[in-house]
Amino acid sequence: MNQSRPAWIAPSILAADFARLGAEVDAVLAAGADLIHFDVMDNHYVPNLTVGPPVCAALRKYGVTAPIDVHLMVRPVDRLATDFAKAGATWITFHPEASEHVDRTIALIREHGCRPGLVLNPATPLGWLDHTLDQLDMVLLMSVNPGFGGQQFISSVLDKLRAVRERIAASGRDIRLEIDGGIKVDNIGAAAAAGADTFVAGSAIFGSADYAATVCAMRGAIATAAG
Ligand code: DX5
Ligand code: ZN
């Protein structure tokens, strides 16, 4: 992994207790999380339905000041991207095949004061980065097919991570490389070694008895992988 870049842990609220969402977010931030990963599913682009902009706005109103990393699994993208920017998102990532005009969506996110990123599914080719990387602040590689938490990590993404890390290095730009899906204490080191610097984890953190111990173990595994 790029050693000049601190590792960020991004718990996914998908695995939190939604009845106590504010307290859950407070708890993972107190446990050492760096940003809050906010999975948005529309029962159209993916076969599941989660939460929209009012829930993001409610977290801001509740007092959450940490960066909110909105992962849009929706089609179309632009309207919701704009609404999430207004609702307090910090980062907004989307799946390029879900947008009619990818360059326009990236620009829209930035115009609304957020940091844009593209999300590539396990079978989505890296060619989507050819004419977009210089506009992006993040690339998110999915290590499961999107739609559900608690799935198993697809290890072929490790080669993809290495390839994207090379492209980011060649770009010379400050672009985060995020990995999402099936991340646990026992595979986070491999993802870090392959080039990831931002790690989404839902069930591994919210399903554990001690959030701080889990985040700490993840950081330990990342540090070991970095040598
Ligand atoms: C899947 C979501 C992921 C997922 C991660 O569509 O984008 O963020 O919730 O959950 P775990 O860590 O449980 O695989
Ligand atoms: Zn996600």
Side-chain angles (χ1 to χ4, degrees):
M1 103 175 225
N2 184 334
Q3 314 227 348
S4 63
R5 198 162 285 162
W8 288 353
I9 305 286
S12 164
I13 62 163
L14 191 57
D17 177 354
F18 274 104
R20 304 171 45 251
L21 187 57
E24 288 273 72
V25 168
D26 283 345
V28 285
L29 290 170
D34 300 284
L35 64 172
I36 298 301
H37 187 78
F38 198 103
D39 282 311
V40 183
M41 305 184 185
D42 67 347
N43 190 37
H44 176 65
Y45 176 68
V46 290
N48 199 355
L49 185 65
T50 59
V51 286
V55 178
C56 183
L59 286 176
R60 289 300 189 209
K61 192 171 173 206
Y62 172 79
V64 174
T65 56
I68 295 180
D69 171 32
V70 173
H71 173 192
L72 294 177
M73 288 162 274
V74 303
R75 177 188 280 137
V77 179
D78 291 5
R79 169 69 191 271
L80 279 169
T82 306
D83 288 352
F84 268 103
K86 292 176 184 161
T90 312
W91 300 81
I92 299 179
T93 63
F94 67 98
H95 292 250
E97 70 279 17
S99 169
E100 291 292 332
H101 305 286
V102 173
D103 182 77
R104 175 180 291 153
T105 304
I106 294 168
L108 191 68
I109 291 168
R110 200 178 290 288
E111 279 161 19
H112 282 79
C114 295
R115 305 192 67 181
L118 284 192
V119 192
L120 304 181
N121 289 330
T124 306
L126 298 186
W128 284 104
L129 302 177
D130 286 352
H131 306 285
T132 56
L133 196 63
D134 60 349
Q135 315 294 329
L136 298 175
D137 290 343
M138 179 181 279
V139 176
L140 167 50
L141 293 188
M142 295 302 299
S143 39
V144 298
N145 289 290
F148 303 93
Q151 301 182 79
Q152 187 154 3
F153 182 79
I154 296 171
S155 58
S156 58
V157 77
L158 294 172
D159 284 338
K160 255 176 130 177
L161 279 172
R162 283 185 270 272
V164 177
R165 171 53 64 199
E166 280 179 20
R167 287 192 185 211
I168 290 173
S171 80
R173 293 188 63 248
D174 179 19
I175 302 169
R176 300 297 300 195
L177 179 50
E178 187 172 45
I179 183 83
D180 182 5
I183 291 290
K184 316 276 178 209
V185 172
D186 66 7
N187 60 18
I188 199 167
D197 56 31
T198 305
F199 305 86
V200 177
S203 47
I205 294 176
F206 285 107
S208 71
D210 183 339
Y211 299 169
T214 305
V215 170
C216 185
M218 288 178 160
R219 288 200 194 285
I222 293 165
T224 302

